[in-house]
Amino acid sequence: MESITARMRVMGMQPPIRFAFSDLGQRRTEREAEAELLARYNELDPFEQASEAQDILNRMLAENGGATIMNPTYIGSGWNIRIGRKAFINAAVVLDGSAPITIGHHTLVGPGVRFLTAYHPVDPAERQRWAFWARPITVGENVWIGADALIVAGVTIGDHSVVGAGSVVTKDVPRCTLVAGNPAHVIRQLDEPDPATLYELNP
């Protein structure tokens, strides 16, 4: 029988990253350093102490375009996380970088949003072996994600789209689309912005 991974490759989907209990001890030094940096970041004022805040983000993340991230926040495996220019992430956001997370330029993320790249098997025997998988999350440019939304593993959100507060996003969101609900569904299409004037006030 063809495996799920093989079928995903045929469909052009990226197969999940598989982890086991033994993997949790890997990169221990990096994880300890990350925990110390995160603790310090959560003590800072991201505006009054912007220089130190950006220095910490630059050290924690794979790529930081000068994003503003309010605290407290949770960042796990920041070496898998890339955040673009002029992005704003409000307080109490969870960024689980078990697989890569990419957040595009000028994207706004409301408080309490969770980006969860990891998921566990439904098979109880497999779950008891502490196996789990992770798939990337990609958020495009100029997206707005409302408060307390949940973005699950493998989801891509297209440029200029909006996710309503409290939504659970389990499927890809096309560009210029408003989605909301649990599970999130399309509410309506949004007008394409004029690229010539879109960022005039906030280049």
Side-chain angles (χ1 to χ4, degrees), residues 158-193:
D159 295 346
H160 316 301
S161 289
V162 176
V163 175
S167 298
V168 178
V169 184
T170 61
K171 296 180 179 179
D172 290 353
V173 177
R175 64 182 283 123
C176 295
T177 303
L178 168 62
V179 301
N182 180 9
H185 59 279
V186 174
I187 303 298
R188 63 183 175 93
Q189 298 302 124
L190 304 173
D191 293 336
E192 284 276 352

Side-chain angles (χ1 to χ4, degrees), residues 137-150:
I137 292 172
T138 302
V139 179
E141 178 178 310
N142 191 36
V143 172
W144 174 25
I145 302 177
D148 292 319
L150 170 60

Side-chain angles (χ1 to χ4, degrees), residues 31-196:
R31 293 184 191 282
E32 290 175 351
E34 180 178 65
E36 292 179 3
L37 288 169
L38 182 61
R40 174 56 185 155
Y41 187 86
N42 281 330
E43 295 173 348
L44 295 175
D45 183 318
F47 296 111
E48 296 297 325
Q49 298 167 284
S51 178
E52 184 178 356
Q54 286 301 309
D55 178 64
I56 291 174
L57 292 178
N58 289 338
R59 294 165 65 186
M60 291 183 67
L61 303 178
E63 184 177 329
N64 170 37
T68 298
I69 301 180
M70 304 302 292
N71 51 29
T73 189
Y74 173 78
I75 297 172
S77 302
W79 49 81
N80 277 333
I81 299 172
R82 291 171 167 79
I83 303 178
R85 185 179 67 256
K86 298 294 181 73
F88 178 85
I89 297 177
N90 217 318
V93 167
V94 174
L95 294 158
D96 158 38
S98 298
I101 295 174
T102 302
I103 297 175
H105 305 315
H106 295 272
T107 283
L108 307 177
V109 178
V113 173
R114 289 159 290 165
F115 298 88
L116 304 182
T117 64
Y119 59 101
H120 297 273
V122 296
D123 182 281
E126 187 75 3
R127 196 163 56 247
Q128 283 304 304
R129 287 193 285 271
W130 283 71
F132 67 98
W133 289 265
R135 293 179 60 202
I137 292 172
T138 302
V139 179
E141 178 178 310
N142 191 36
V143 172
W144 174 25
I145 302 177
D148 292 319
L150 170 60
I151 317 299
V152 306
V155 163
T156 294
I157 300 174
D159 295 346
H160 316 301
S161 289
V162 176
V163 175
S167 298
V168 178
V169 184
T170 61
K171 296 180 179 179
D172 290 353
V173 177
R175 64 182 283 123
C176 295
T177 303
L178 168 62
V179 301
N182 180 9
H185 59 279
V186 174
I187 303 298
R188 63 183 175 93
Q189 298 302 124
L190 304 173
D191 293 336
E192 284 276 352
D194 179 357

